[in-house]
Amino acid sequence: NVRIYNFYDYVGNDPSDPDEPSVPSYPVGDVDKNGKVNAFDVIYVKRGIVGLIEEGIDVDVNRDGLVTAKDLLIVKKIVLG
């Protein structure tokens, strides 16, 4: 069961699936999980690209299994509007 989100959706659990465990929802691009997408998220993704990923920070924004400039572009577009 795969659910597709656009950049402005919130990722998290599917409330229509009672078997899916409840997980907190965060905006796409909110890599530090503080509830907002901002310049700090851009910095975290930049650090992730060069291999300086901090513990507990998931910087693979587009969920393709890689941390690349695509992830950075997504976060920058959200931050800049």
Side-chain angles (χ1 to χ4, degrees), residues 11-13 22-26:
V11 282
N13 62 313
S22 180
V23 295
S25 295
Y26 300 99

Tab-separated table of all heavy atoms in Angstrom, residues 11-13 22-26:
chain	number	residue	atom	x	y	z
A	11	VAL	N	3.531	14.199	5.441
A	11	VAL	CA	3.807	12.771	5.441
A	11	VAL	C	3.563	12.220	6.824
A	11	VAL	O	3.795	12.881	7.814
A	11	VAL	CB	5.258	12.461	4.990
A	11	VAL	CG1	5.396	12.562	3.508
A	11	VAL	CG2	6.259	13.343	5.665
A	12	GLY	N	3.080	11.027	6.854
A	12	GLY	CA	2.793	10.389	8.127
A	12	GLY	C	1.919	9.188	7.870
A	12	GLY	O	1.968	8.590	6.806
A	13	ASN	N	1.119	8.842	8.827
A	13	ASN	CA	0.316	7.646	8.673
A	13	ASN	C	-0.950	7.919	7.867
A	13	ASN	O	-1.405	9.051	7.755
A	13	ASN	CB	-0.023	7.046	10.032
A	13	ASN	CG	-0.845	7.976	10.883
A	13	ASN	OD1	-0.541	9.149	11.003
A	13	ASN	ND2	-1.888	7.449	11.470
A	22	SER	N	0.312	4.606	14.236
A	22	SER	CA	0.244	6.062	14.210
A	22	SER	C	1.650	6.634	14.351
A	22	SER	O	2.399	6.275	15.246
A	22	SER	CB	-0.633	6.555	15.356
A	22	SER	OG	-0.701	7.956	15.344
A	23	VAL	N	2.009	7.520	13.430
A	23	VAL	CA	3.296	8.209	13.492
A	23	VAL	C	3.024	9.699	13.359
A	23	VAL	O	2.047	10.101	12.744
A	23	VAL	CB	4.269	7.743	12.377
A	23	VAL	CG1	4.649	6.307	12.556
A	23	VAL	CG2	3.672	7.969	11.007
A	24	PRO	N	3.878	10.523	13.931
A	24	PRO	CA	3.674	11.962	13.803
A	24	PRO	C	3.752	12.390	12.343
A	24	PRO	O	4.483	11.799	11.554
A	24	PRO	CB	4.821	12.568	14.594
A	24	PRO	CG	5.487	11.474	15.302
A	24	PRO	CD	5.047	10.185	14.701
A	25	SER	N	3.021	13.417	11.982
A	25	SER	CA	3.048	13.947	10.629
A	25	SER	C	3.856	15.235	10.606
A	25	SER	O	3.726	16.066	11.497
A	25	SER	CB	1.634	14.238	10.135
A	25	SER	OG	0.896	13.057	10.035
A	26	TYR	N	4.679	15.379	9.593
A	26	TYR	CA	5.498	16.570	9.411
A	26	TYR	C	5.390	17.014	7.968
A	26	TYR	O	5.216	16.190	7.079
A	26	TYR	CB	6.966	16.279	9.734
A	26	TYR	CG	7.179	15.824	11.150
A	26	TYR	CD1	7.321	14.481	11.457
A	26	TYR	CD2	7.213	16.745	12.180
A	26	TYR	CE1	7.503	14.065	12.767
A	26	TYR	CE2	7.393	16.341	13.493
A	26	TYR	CZ	7.539	15.003	13.773
A	26	TYR	OH	7.709	14.603	15.066
